[in-house]
C-alpha cells in the first residue's frame, strides 16, 4: 500500500482516483470543485485543503488537470505541490500537456530531492472507469518502476517511451496523427461521394491500397458513419492536443504543414459550435458543405 495524492478529479481523474483507492492505497485528494472532492471522500479518500497539503501526505502525487497552465498553477506557489513535496517522493503528471512543461517541472522537482514521471493516457472516459487506459510513460527507469503499481491500477497498456517528457511527446504526436486521419478521411469520403462513388466502393478499394487506416477501419464505422456525433472524444480536446503537438513541433524548429491544416480544420469545427461533439463531427462539416451524408448501409 502506498500513500497516493490525486489532484484533478474530473471526467478522467475521478474514476482513475477511484481505481487507485479500490486497490487499497491510501488516497488524499484535491480539486477546485468541492463536489468532485466530496464524491471521492464518500468512497474513502481523504480531502486536503491544497495541492501542497496533498503532497505533504503522499509518496506519489498525481495530477490529472485540463491543460499545462493548470498543472503549473497546482505545482507552484505557496500552496502548490512543490511547496509540500517530500524528499524521495514522485510527482506523476498524467494530464495531456506539452513535454517542455513536464521537463521544466522535473528539473525543479529533482532539485528538491524528489523525481517526476509523466504518463498521459490514451482511450476514453469509459476506459478510465474500467481501469484499462493506455499509459504513455516518460521518466527515469527507477522512478517509473516505483510508480508502476499505481499506474497498473489505472491502465492496462503500458509503454515506457523514454526519459521525462517522452510520454507527453508520444501523446502529442499520436493525437496529431489520429486527428489528421479523421480530418482527411472526412474530406475524402465526402469528395468521393460527391464524385459519384458509394461508401462501399470507396472502402472496398481503399482496404486493398495504402489509403486504408485504423480510423476508417474502426473509428468511422463506430460513430460518424452511423450519423452519431456524440462524444466519444470531444472535438475541443482533439483541438487542444493538436495545438500542443504543433507547439512542440515549432519549439524544435520544425514545421508541420499538414498538422497546421488539421488544427485549422478543428478550429473550423469549434467555430461551427461543435466543441463538445465527437471529433468525428469533422465528417459532418464536410457533409454539410457537400450537401450529402456518408453513411453505412442500414441492413433491412
Ligand atoms: P475535466 O475538465 O473533466 O477535469 C479536470 C478537473 O480538474 C476538474 O474537476 C477541475 O475542477 C479540476 N481542476 C482544474 N484546474 C484545477 C486546479 N488548478 N487545481 C485543482 N483542480 C483543478 O478534464 P478531463 O476530461 O478529466 O481531462 C483531464 C486531462 O486528461 C486533460 O488534459 C485531457 O486532455 C486528458 N484526456 C482526456 C480524455 C477524455 O476523453 N476526457 C482522454 C484522454 C486524456
Amino acid at each position: 500500500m502506498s500513500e497516493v495524492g490525486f489532484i484533478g478529479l474530473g471526467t478522467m481523474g475521478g474514476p482513475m482516483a477511484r481505481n487507485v483507492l479500490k486497490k487499497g492505497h491510501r488516497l488524499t485528494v484535491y480539486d477546485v470543485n468541492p463536489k468532485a472532492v466530496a464524491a471521492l471522500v464518500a468512497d474513502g479518500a481523504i480531502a486536503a485543503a491544497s495541492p501542497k497539503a496533498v503532497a505533504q501526505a503522499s509518496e506519489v502525487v498525481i495530477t490529472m488537470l485540463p491543460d499545462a497552465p493548470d498543472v503549473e498553477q497546482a505545482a507552484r506557489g505557496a500552496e502548490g505541490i512543490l511547496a509540500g513535496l517530500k524528499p524521495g517522493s514522485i510527482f506523476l503528471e498524467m494530464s495531456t500537456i506539452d513535454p517542455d512543461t513536464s521537463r521544466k517541472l522535473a528539473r525543479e522537482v529533482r532539485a528538491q530531492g524528489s523525481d517526476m514521471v509523466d504518463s498521459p493516457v490514451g482511450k476514453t472516459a469509459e476506459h478510465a472507469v474500467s481501469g484499462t487506459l493506455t499509459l504513455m510513460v516518460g521518466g527515469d527507469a527507477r522512478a517509473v518502476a516505483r510508480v508502476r503499481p499505481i499506474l497498473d491500477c489505472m491502465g492496462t497498456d503500458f509503454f515506457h517511451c523514454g526519459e521525462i517528457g517522452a510520454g507527453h511527446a508520444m501523446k502529442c504526436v499520436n493525437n496529431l496523427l489520429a486527428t489528421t486521419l479523421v480530418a482527411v478521411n472526412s474530406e475524402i469520403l465526402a469528395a468521393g461521394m460527391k464524385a459519384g462513388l458509394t461508401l462501399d466502393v470507396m472502402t472496398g478499394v481503399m482496404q486493398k491500397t495504402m489509403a486504408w487506416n485504423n480510423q476508417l477501419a474502426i473509428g468511422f464505422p463506430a460513430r460518424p458513419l452511423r450519423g452519431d456525433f456524440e462524444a466519444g472524444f470531444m472535438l475541443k480536446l482533439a483541438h487542444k492536443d493538436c495545438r500542443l503537438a504543433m507547439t512542440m513541433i515549432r519549439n524544435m524548429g520544425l514545421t508541420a504543414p499538414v498538422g497546421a491544416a488539421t488544427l485549422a480544420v478543428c478550429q473550423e469545427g469549434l467555430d461551427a459550435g461543435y466543441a463538445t461533439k465527437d471529433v468525428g463531427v469533422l465528417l459532418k462539416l464536410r457533409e454539410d458543405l457537400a450537401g450529402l451524408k456518408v453513411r453505412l448501409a442500414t441492413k433491412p
Side-chain angles (χ1 to χ4, degrees):
M1 187 189 101
S2 301
E3 311 267 349
V4 181
F6 212 113
I7 299 165
L9 308 166
T11 308
M12 299 296 285
M16 288 162 67
R18 203 160 278 116
N19 283 332
V20 172
L21 198 55
K22 275 187 200 157
K23 290 281 161 68
H25 299 288
R26 192 178 137 94
L27 190 74
T28 306
V29 296
Y30 175 78
D31 194 295
V32 289
N33 174 3
K35 277 193 188 150
V37 173
L40 259 297
V41 168
D43 287 345
I46 302 153
S50 64
K52 176 184 174 183
V54 171
Q56 284 170 330
S58 310
E59 299 158 60
V60 177
V61 183
I62 300 172
T63 45
M64 190 56 174
L65 297 164
D67 207 344
D70 307 304
V71 175
E72 297 253 20
Q73 195 191 357
R76 298 183 194 288
E79 294 303 317
I81 296 165
L82 295 180
L85 212 51
K86 297 191 285 193
S89 59
I90 297 185
F91 179 1
L92 174 56
E93 209 306 297
M94 301 190 74
S95 328
T96 302
I97 63 169
D98 60 289
D100 287 344
T101 298
S102 48
R103 289 187 194 117
K104 193 171 57 179
L105 282 170
R107 282 194 289 275
E108 296 173 46
V109 167
R110 284 172 182 162
Q112 289 187 211
S114 305
D115 210 340
M116 183 158 173
V117 171
D118 59 318
S119 179
V121 303
K123 299 192 201 162
T124 65
E126 292 90 73
H127 299 97
V129 173
S130 59
T132 56
L133 292 165
T134 298
L135 305 161
M136 294 165 246
V137 185
D140 165 76
R142 279 218 325 249
V144 170
R146 277 187 56 204
V147 295
R148 181 74 197 261
I150 309 299
L151 289 170
D152 286 343
C153 301
M154 299 179 271
T156 43
D157 316 325
F158 179 91
F159 296 96
H160 187 187
C161 302
E163 290 302 317
I164 184 74
H168 286 134
M170 184 63 233
K171 174 82 180 172
C172 282
V173 295
N174 183 80
N175 282 27
L176 183 58
L177 179 56
T179 307
T180 297
L181 290 170
V182 176
V184 73
N185 289 340
S186 297
E187 67 185 41
I188 290 302
L189 293 181
M193 187 162 272
K194 193 79 176 173
L197 302 169
T198 65
L199 179 61
D200 272 359
V201 165
M202 287 190 277
T203 54
V205 172
M206 287 168 182
Q207 278 175 42
K208 302 289 179 197
T209 75
M210 300 307 274
W212 199 236
N213 58 72
N214 262 352
Q215 289 287 14
L216 278 179
I218 303 165
F220 274 53
R223 285 180 204 267
L225 291 180
R226 296 178 188 279
D228 176 2
F229 300 110
E230 296 309 314
F233 182 56
M234 283 191 280
L235 179 64
K236 66 177 182 183
L237 291 180
H239 177 269
K240 182 198 118 182
D241 294 355
C242 292
R243 172 177 55 75
L244 289 171
M246 290 304 294
T247 303
M248 178 185 89
I249 289 167
R250 264 199 307 277
N251 287 349
M252 295 185 295
L254 302 178
T255 59
V258 177
T262 302
L263 185 60
V265 172
C266 289
Q267 185 62 53
E268 197 185 334
L270 297 187
D271 295 344
Y274 295 147
T276 58
K277 297 289 180 192
D278 189 75
V279 64
V281 79
L282 296 181
L283 177 68
K284 183 166 161 46
L285 269 187
R286 295 293 153 248
E287 289 176 341
D288 290 350
L289 286 169
L292 47 78
K293 287 191 192 326
V294 189
R295 295 288 177 270
L296 291 170
T298 45
K299 300 235 164 67

